[in-house]
Amino acid sequence: MGKSTFVIKQRAYLKLYMLHAAEKGRLYGLQILEELQNHFKDLGYKPTKSEIYKSLHELLKEGYVVREPITKEGTEMQTIYIYRLGDKEKVKAYKDTIKADIDRSIALLNRALKDNYSQKRG
Amino acid sequence: MGKSTFVIKQRAYLKLYMLHAAEKGRLYGLQILEELQNHFKDLGYKPTKSEIYKSLHELLKEGYVVREPITKEGTEMQTIYIYRLGDKEKVKAYKDTIKADIDRSIALLNRALKDNYSQKRG
DNA sequence: TCATGAACAGCATGTTCATCC
DNA sequence: GGATGAACATGCTGTTCATGA
């Protein structure tokens, strides 16, 4: 896990969702952005374009996903990139480490609730 | 809450614990640090000296705590600062906003678990 | 304009240095 | 050496700019 500091970083969190998008296939950058912004709207979280791209690029560089250029036919020609999962075993191992980090983060947050907001008796 | 981004910041999290320490009284900076490092050891989280001091200074500046210098008698004279809670109502309101942020953070993390690690049937 | 990037700036946080008993 | 700070440096993230179709 490297050096574990406070809670999970946004980047790792988003990479997890990028893998999820790659699993489904047929999604490209800005489309994923829009879906996620919508998905998290109720929690007041609005990921940005640059974080999405950086997450995608990192996953690509690390070999968790592969991508292929597609020419999107419309009023004009536009090149987009569709992402797909790379080696399944490797991806699974990676997802496991992220899950551990999320679990740890939740534990940290729950501890704060317990320590600071529990009713004190007496 | 200002502009809510991803999960709660370490600073806010620590300030909550600083208030807790101020409630108990009789604790100074480095002592709080040691206690917290010990308290979170099992979760792999080790807060640093500078974050503790910054949290304390912010709370002081914002009026949530007050402090008084104490000359610690020992082999040598040493000046330490003991913190106490400021206006109770104000502190309570502040703690409420932090709690909301923690709740929101937990919801965000739980959503990731649900979206990415639930068994898919079929 | 939509889509992909990169560059840049700001801020959160960790590491090192300074000062005082 | 223990305690409090500040300065410095790194790193994460948001905003802006650049390029192409």
Side-chain angles (χ1 to χ4, degrees):
Chain A
M1 251 151 289
K3 40 183 54 186
S4 76
T5 48
F6 187 50
V7 298
I8 189 172
K9 295 289 183 295
Q10 180 181 193
R11 183 75 47 84
Y13 185 90
L14 284 179
K15 282 165 87 174
L16 184 61
Y17 275 93
M18 295 306 107
L19 290 176
H20 190 255
E23 239 173 295
K24 294 195 299 178
R26 318 221 137 271
L27 288 175
Y28 60 91
L30 287 191
Q31 211 171 5
I32 298 174
L33 174 69
E34 197 186 327
E35 280 211 358
L36 287 187
Q37 288 186 339
N38 210 57
H39 187 60
F40 294 120
K41 197 183 295 175
D42 63 321
L43 292 176
Y45 170 47
K46 189 180 182 183
T48 64
K49 198 181 62 148
S50 94
E51 276 301 309
I52 299 292
Y53 281 124
K54 283 178 193 165
S55 301
L56 248 15
H57 295 342
E58 278 190 17
L59 287 172
L60 196 60
K61 194 170 148 194
E62 293 158 351
Y64 295 115
V65 299
V66 294
R67 74 178 191 182
E68 67 180 307
I70 304 241
T71 44
K72 188 188 181 189
E73 309 261 348
T75 42
E76 67 271 83
M77 293 293 202
Q78 184 94 31
T79 307
I80 60 177
Y81 290 94
I82 298 294
Y83 293 80
R84 297 190 187 286
L85 284 189
D87 182 273
K88 296 290 171 56
E89 285 304 313
K90 195 177 167 190
V91 168
K92 185 178 181 316
Y94 181 58
K95 283 182 67 172
D96 284 350
T97 70
I98 298 183
K99 179 170 189 307
D101 206 12
I102 293 178
D103 287 340
R104 199 187 112 268
S105 301
I106 291 177
L108 217 37
L109 295 174
N110 275 327
R111 181 161 301 178
L113 291 183
K114 176 164 167 290
D115 291 338
N116 297 280
Y117 300 99
S118 294
Q119 298 302 3
K120 293 168 184 74
R121 6 188 111 253
Chain B
M1 249 152 292
K3 39 184 54 185
S4 76
T5 46
F6 187 50
V7 299
I8 189 171
K9 295 288 182 299
Q10 181 182 195
R11 183 74 47 84
Y13 185 90
L14 283 179
K15 282 164 88 174
L16 185 60
Y17 275 93
M18 295 306 107
L19 290 176
H20 190 255
E23 241 174 293
K24 295 195 301 180
R26 320 221 135 273
L27 287 175
Y28 59 92
L30 287 192
Q31 211 171 4
I32 298 173
L33 174 69
E34 197 186 329
E35 280 211 358
L36 288 186
Q37 288 186 340
N38 210 57
H39 187 60
F40 294 120
K41 197 184 295 174
D42 63 322
L43 292 176
Y45 169 48
K46 189 180 180 184
T48 65
K49 201 180 60 147
S50 95
E51 275 302 309
I52 298 292
Y53 280 125
K54 282 178 193 165
S55 302
L56 248 14
H57 295 343
E58 278 190 17
L59 287 173
L60 196 59
K61 195 170 148 194
E62 294 158 349
Y64 295 115
V65 300
V66 293
R67 75 178 191 181
E68 66 181 308
I70 306 241
T71 45
K72 189 185 178 190
E73 308 261 348
T75 42
E76 67 270 81
M77 293 293 201
Q78 184 93 31
T79 305
I80 60 177
Y81 290 94
I82 298 294
Y83 292 80
R84 296 188 186 290
L85 284 190
D87 183 274
K88 297 290 170 56
E89 286 303 313
K90 195 177 167 188
V91 168
K92 184 177 182 317
Y94 181 57
K95 284 181 68 172
D96 284 349
T97 69
I98 298 183
K99 179 169 189 306
D101 206 13
I102 293 178
D103 287 340
R104 199 188 113 267
S105 302
I106 292 177
L108 217 36
L109 295 173
N110 275 327
R111 181 162 301 177
L113 292 183
K114 177 165 167 287
D115 291 338
N116 298 281
Y117 301 100
S118 294
Q119 299 301 5
K120 297 179 181 66
R121 14 184 108 253

